[in-house]
DNA sequence: ACCTGAACACCGTTCAAGT
DNA sequence: ACCTGAACACCGTTCAAGT
């Protein structure tokens, strides 16, 4: 792919709220995109989304300057839920149980939302919101990890980066394996991380 | 993607050898495809390969009825190497060492050849040769596994399918993690599999 | 027999023209 | 300001026409 890169005509973050009609149009596009995702179309063709939402393609690009930006907007909600799980895990009482819970949540949210799986696997965020979510996730995982090291639930050399890469690998394993055996793969991973 | 499916005009397996010029043209296409892969283009556009190989697109399709078939043809050589490693591992003296060797080989061959990574992650083979390689791999892994269970190197409930899915997941983990830390991830996996 | 490449239906992305 | 949609450069795949 070596198309000329899109130049955003609108900053992806909007401090001031959108105009009511603009917000409505935006919601329509996101709904249309989600419907296609739910119907199993991971490609998210911009033209098709525009048509389904009843807007011109240009409007899709005005709101989401690239397909990556659209994916991130779609994933944002579940990404925030995952960060929430990680932050609770970081302060929960039983570190081992919290880590298991976090792995399970990472897997389940990626399964439920392919956009999140794509976003987590992509190192560079197109939107600043996504970068912030990623940093929040890393920070929470780091805090959980510090406690996990102290209790021997995780060997000291494992980093937050390792763990987040494993979130993605775990999801890929389950998907290639036909979507079954989640608990078994989580179990393998938890044992493997143990000191 | 809902294009009409290609109807192969030539069976993908050819019992009788290709005509000399046909074989030459085929080699040119594979070389062109490999050059693009090596240059980091995972897309393998059929038109571009045709042009690079100095043939018409139709000729590419005559030899490889779909992009998947082309990927599999590209991956075949390394896939066979991986099967070889697995078969040696199945009969090697030190089961734990053989398993580690196999994981390392799976990772390294997928890293060296993105086509192999794609083929291993895809459950349905386009070419019969690929299906045969897949069956040979499964058989070898199964034999290794039986011995590994007996010696406690792997817990009894792990299946050959689990292990092959983990080959793919492991590769994805390493890739998302920026390509480093291979040994650490292999170590995590081996510990996690242990009885 | 085998090959060519124009043609078709689709992409992502842009931007002049409208409201 | 915001939106539209024709237009452009690309895809995968087919198939009539050539040798």
């Amino acid at each position: 792919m070596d198309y000329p890169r899109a130049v955003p005509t609108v900053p992806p973050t909007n401090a001031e709220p959108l105009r009511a009609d603009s917000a409505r149009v935006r919601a329509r596009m996101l709904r249309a995109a989600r419907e296609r995702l739910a119907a199993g179309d991971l490609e998210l063709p911009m033209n098709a989304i525009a048509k389904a939402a009843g807007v011109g393609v240009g409007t899709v690009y005005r709101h989401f300057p690239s397909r990556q930006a659209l994916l991130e907007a779609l994933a944002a909600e579940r990404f925030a839920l995952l960060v929430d799980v990680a932050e609770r895990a970081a302060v929960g009482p039983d570190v081992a149980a919290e880590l298991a819970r976090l792995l399970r949540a990472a897997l389940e949210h990626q399964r439920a939302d392919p956009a999140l799986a794509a976003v987590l696997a992509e190192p560079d965020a197109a939107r600043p919101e996504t970068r912030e979510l990623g940093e929040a996730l890393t920070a929470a995982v780091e805090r959980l990890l510090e406690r996990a090291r102290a209790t021997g639930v995780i060997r000291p050399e494992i980093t937050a980066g390792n763990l987040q890469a494993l979130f993605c690998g775990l999801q890929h394993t389950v998907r290639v394996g036909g979507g079954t055996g989640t608990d078994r793969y989580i179990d393998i991973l938890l044992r493997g991380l143990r000191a």
Side-chain angles (χ1 to χ4, degrees), chain A:
Chain A
M1 298 249 188
D2 39 7
Y3 295 101
R5 302 305 313 257
V7 174
T9 46
V10 143
T13 320
N14 250 336
E16 57 251 62
L18 291 168
R19 274 175 33 178
D21 57 341
S22 190
R24 212 157 38 230
V25 139
R26 185 192 168 87
R28 270 224 308 279
M29 293 185 296
L30 285 173
R31 188 164 45 235
R34 247 185 278 272
E35 269 162 23
R36 288 198 73 107
L37 264 192
D41 182 5
L42 286 232
E43 311 268 318
L44 286 187
M46 299 294 249
N47 284 285
I49 287 160
K51 196 194 279 205
V55 299
V57 238
T59 304
V60 180
Y61 277 92
R62 158 170 295 271
H63 286 263
F64 311 106
S66 68
R67 268 176 74 260
Q68 176 67 18
L70 173 59
L71 272 177
E72 291 177 16
L74 286 169
E77 198 178 329
R78 274 191 188 269
F79 202 156
L81 290 177
L82 182 59
V83 169
D84 201 62
V85 173
E87 282 169 350
R88 286 174 198 277
V91 298
D94 180 346
V95 181
E98 298 301 336
L99 181 62
R101 203 192 315 283
L102 177 56
L103 281 178
R104 219 177 303 276
L107 208 47
E108 169 54 18
H109 279 128
Q110 286 182 89
R111 191 201 54 71
D113 189 351
L116 179 60
V119 169
L120 287 178
E122 169 63 51
D124 305 311
R127 311 165 82 218
E129 291 96 322
T130 311
R131 200 176 43 71
E132 279 161 28
L133 284 166
E135 284 166 2
L137 180 61
T138 303
V141 168
E142 194 57 81
R143 271 176 296 162
L144 177 62
L145 224 46
E146 262 161 48
R147 294 177 58 213
R149 285 185 197 113
T151 47
V153 171
I154 284 197
R155 279 174 287 145
E157 70 269 24
I158 310 288
T159 69
N162 289 156
L163 209 51
Q164 285 178 76
L166 285 165
F167 287 178
C168 298
L170 183 58
Q171 204 269 341
H172 198 238
T173 302
V174 171
R175 201 158 47 80
V176 169
T180 60
T182 354
D183 289 344
R184 180 170 301 177
Y185 293 117
I186 291 178
D187 186 49
I188 292 171
L189 183 49
L190 284 172
R191 285 168 177 255
L193 291 167
R194 208 134 57 198

